[in-house]
Amino acid sequence: MDNLPKILIIGSYTFEGTDATSITLKNIFSGWSVEKLAFIYVTNQPNNLDYKKNIFIVSKKIFGNIQINRQKKSFINDLREAKSVVGGIMDATASNDKKTKILNFFHTIIVAHNALIPYKYSDKLDKFIQEFQPDLIYTPLGSLGVMYLAYKISIRYNIPIYPHFMDDWINTMYAKNIFLIIPCLVKKYYLNNIFNRTKKAFAISEKMAFEYSNKYKKPFFPLMNCIDDSAPSGKSGLDDTALRFCYSGGLHLNRWKSLEFLCKGLERLASDKIIELNVFTKESDWQSYKDKFINFSFMHYRGFISQTEMLHDLKKQTILIHLESFDEKVSAYTRLSISTKIPEYLSMKKPILAIGPCNIASIEYLNTNQSAFVVDRQDEELLKNEINKIMNLERREEVATNAYNLFKKNHTKESQQQILRNSF
């Protein structure tokens, strides 16, 4: 452990976060010495954040920050609420009404150009870096502000950058939009500078690593979410009369539409089966979309719980649901990503029902490894057939075993942390 490099992590995430990227970071770096990790945490909302010894919070831009009263009803807040479900992409909204789309149009333009304003580089930040003396920079990037800081610090301290790409934002953010030409050009300029400071990089899936290695002529290594290896819960315990499903994850990125498709399919089975669908998601997501599910009596919202609690609760479930969006703009953004939840599901050795386009990395990954029952188009008959396959004991146990073997191969902390260590 003593020969591990000191890593400066730059981004909008810390180990304390509950979002998918924060969870992934916490898991892959859990084998690292705490003294050899430091964060530069970039945020537009610094309130209620604790300053810690190994975290420096950057929130001020060089021209100052605009303060908005988020509780007050106003046009500005209406504009803010119309933000895209996919950053930097117009019309990828949760609502199709004309007002929201118009507000979203202006919101996307304003936010994109505001992102051109760099965050303030202060003497305190310099002191923080000098005291830590990092050997390298690790960063998920994802925004112009983070790219600016990562490149500036890399040049200033002559240390390399190891970027980790979680989504295909390189090709989607600000793309194909005449009103966002300047932010798009700046994004490409920053990326070019960062790749000039990069010898190796990480990708969230094998598919992304292969595609990016060919396109950017850099070695990309697949570095995915991982968890501790623990004994699976045993047989799933399905019978011929009851079907108990569980979905754990966000409803954003229009995944709620895929969940609604599932519910409509399950509704048709409810006449001769006992159906139960337990949903674990953030309160904010549920409040945004619960009206879509109010008529499904078998749907039960179970709240939002920590990853540790979720791993314990998954062992009590019967059929695990993974969802991706069929929306074209969303799937373009997620097409190379492996969901954070997939390793958790695979470790349970339970049947997984995956719903989403076949070209999405998560769906392709499960399908290629025969680790899930896959519904790759919005076809009610296909959904019914896959559920019927799950009811076959022999087939169910075969797929569940494949899932667990895939977890053991690619998603234990030991395997992913070894990739990380060998890359530096």
Side-chain angles (χ1 to χ4, degrees), residues 18-223:
T18 58
D19 58 280
T21 301
S22 295
I23 291 171
T24 298
L25 293 184
K26 181 178 180 180
N27 289 335
I28 63 176
F29 280 107
S30 61
W32 225 264
S33 171
V34 176
E35 290 74 23
K36 293 194 172 184
L37 293 175
F39 285 87
I40 294 179
Y41 177 57
V42 180
T43 177
N44 291 323
Q45 302 173 20
N47 295 334
N48 302 320
L49 292 173
D50 295 330
Y51 284 79
K52 297 183 178 180
K53 181 180 179 181
N54 66 332
I55 299 177
F56 189 94
I57 300 175
V58 176
S59 61
K60 293 183 178 180
K61 294 204 166 189
I62 60 174
F63 299 133
N65 297 61
I66 300 174
Q67 300 297 322
I68 299 174
N69 184 347
R70 294 175 179 268
Q71 305 302 318
K72 186 178 179 181
K73 184 66 177 176
S74 66
F75 174 77
I76 296 297
N77 278 325
D78 287 344
L79 197 68
R80 182 179 57 83
E81 290 297 325
K83 63 183 179 182
S84 293
V85 294
V86 180
I89 299 177
M90 289 180 183
D91 295 330
T93 63
S95 173
N96 289 320
D97 67 272
K98 188 174 182 179
K99 178 184 176 182
T100 300
K101 286 188 173 294
I102 292 173
L103 290 172
N104 168 254
F105 176 86
F106 289 105
H107 177 275
T108 306
I109 294 174
I110 293 169
V111 170
H113 287 84
N114 182 61
L116 296 172
I117 305 173
Y119 285 93
K120 187 176 181 180
Y121 191 98
S122 65
D123 292 339
K124 288 183 179 180
L125 176 56
D126 243 346
K127 182 180 179 182
F128 175 81
I129 299 170
Q130 290 168 7
E131 289 179 350
F132 179 63
Q133 296 184 342
D135 297 307
L136 58 93
I137 293 169
Y138 165 95
T139 173
L141 298 174
S143 73
L144 300 183
V146 172
M147 285 189 273
Y148 165 79
L149 282 177
Y151 179 68
K152 184 178 179 69
I153 294 169
S154 173
I155 292 292
R156 192 175 182 87
Y157 290 93
N158 193 29
I159 54 178
I161 301 173
Y162 287 75
H164 191 174
F165 297 90
M166 309 282 186
D167 296 293
D168 192 32
W169 58 266
I170 286 183
N171 295 310
T172 58
M173 189 169 73
Y174 311 142
K176 299 178 181 178
N177 192 321
I178 192 172
F179 297 100
L180 301 179
I181 289 178
I182 294 176
C184 190
L185 290 174
V186 172
K187 177 192 71 173
K188 291 179 179 179
Y189 171 76
Y190 281 164
L191 278 171
N192 184 63
N193 286 341
I194 285 170
F195 280 136
N196 286 337
R197 304 290 302 170
T198 299
K199 293 182 178 179
K200 298 177 182 179
F202 303 110
I204 201 63
S205 70
E206 294 173 347
K207 185 175 183 178
M208 180 185 283
F210 178 78
E211 184 171 310
Y212 280 17
S213 293
N214 289 333
K215 184 173 182 178
Y216 298 106
K217 310 304 179 186
K218 296 281 183 181
F220 278 79
F221 298 90
L223 186 61

Side-chain angles (χ1 to χ4, degrees), residues 204 225 248 255 322-324 337-343 362:
I204 201 63
N225 186 33
S248 169
R255 290 190 176 103
H322 173 67
L323 303 174
E324 295 290 352
S337 300
I338 296 290
S339 170
T340 302
K341 289 295 175 184
I342 283 182
S362 287

Side-chain angles (χ1 to χ4, degrees), residues 143-380:
S143 73
L144 300 183
V146 172
M147 285 189 273
Y148 165 79
L149 282 177
Y151 179 68
K152 184 178 179 69
I153 294 169
S154 173
I155 292 292
R156 192 175 182 87
Y157 290 93
N158 193 29
I159 54 178
I161 301 173
Y162 287 75
H164 191 174
F165 297 90
M166 309 282 186
D167 296 293
D168 192 32
W169 58 266
I170 286 183
N171 295 310
T172 58
M173 189 169 73
Y174 311 142
K176 299 178 181 178
N177 192 321
I178 192 172
F179 297 100
L180 301 179
I181 289 178
I182 294 176
C184 190
L185 290 174
V186 172
K187 177 192 71 173
K188 291 179 179 179
Y189 171 76
Y190 281 164
L191 278 171
N192 184 63
N193 286 341
I194 285 170
F195 280 136
N196 286 337
R197 304 290 302 170
T198 299
K199 293 182 178 179
K200 298 177 182 179
F202 303 110
I204 201 63
S205 70
E206 294 173 347
K207 185 175 183 178
M208 180 185 283
F210 178 78
E211 184 171 310
Y212 280 17
S213 293
N214 289 333
K215 184 173 182 178
Y216 298 106
K217 310 304 179 186
K218 296 281 183 181
F220 278 79
F221 298 90
L223 186 61
M224 300 178 276
N225 186 33
C226 54
I227 60 175
D228 288 320
D229 189 8
S230 61
S233 54
K235 293 186 177 182
S236 56
L238 283 175
D239 58 49
D240 291 333
T241 59
L243 286 173
R244 297 180 177 87
F245 297 82
C246 171
Y247 174 67
S248 169
L251 299 179
H252 63 304
L253 296 179
N254 287 337
R255 290 190 176 103
W256 69 268
K257 293 182 180 180
S258 295
L259 184 61
E260 184 181 42
F261 163 67
L262 172 62
C263 288
K264 290 178 179 178
L266 294 180
E267 191 173 38
R268 289 168 173 76
L269 299 176
S271 58
D272 56 357
K273 304 286 185 184
I274 298 174
I275 303 293
E276 181 177 300
L277 174 55
N278 299 310
V279 175
F280 296 84
T281 193
K282 290 183 178 181
E283 177 69 21
S284 57
D285 274 16
W286 182 248
Q287 290 301 322
S288 296
Y289 305 112
K290 67 178 182 180
D291 291 345
K292 308 293 183 181
F293 306 105
I294 195 169
N295 293 324
F296 301 112
S297 59
F298 50 80
M299 167 81 82
H300 304 284
Y301 175 56
R302 302 302 187 187
F304 178 77
I305 56 180
S306 68
Q307 185 190 40
T308 301
E309 293 171 316
M310 192 71 249
L311 290 173
H312 177 74
D313 210 277
L314 285 178
K315 292 185 177 183
K316 304 175 186 177
Q317 306 300 324
T318 306
I319 305 169
L320 309 180
I321 306 299
H322 173 67
L323 303 174
E324 295 290 352
S325 175
F326 287 93
D327 285 11
E328 183 179 345
K329 289 184 178 180
V330 176
S331 59
Y333 175 72
T334 60
R335 70 183 182 91
L336 298 178
S337 300
I338 296 290
S339 170
T340 302
K341 289 295 175 184
I342 283 182
E344 300 172 7
Y345 279 10
L346 296 174
S347 72
M348 294 294 111
K349 201 176 182 180
K350 288 179 177 290
I352 300 170
L353 178 61
I355 300 174
C358 60
N359 64 332
I360 298 293
S362 287
I363 302 297
E364 184 179 309
Y365 184 63
L366 293 171
N367 200 21
T368 301
N369 290 283
Q370 301 180 46
S371 298
F373 297 87
V374 175
V375 178
D376 59 7
R377 60 186 184 275
Q378 291 176 298
D379 184 318
E380 293 179 3

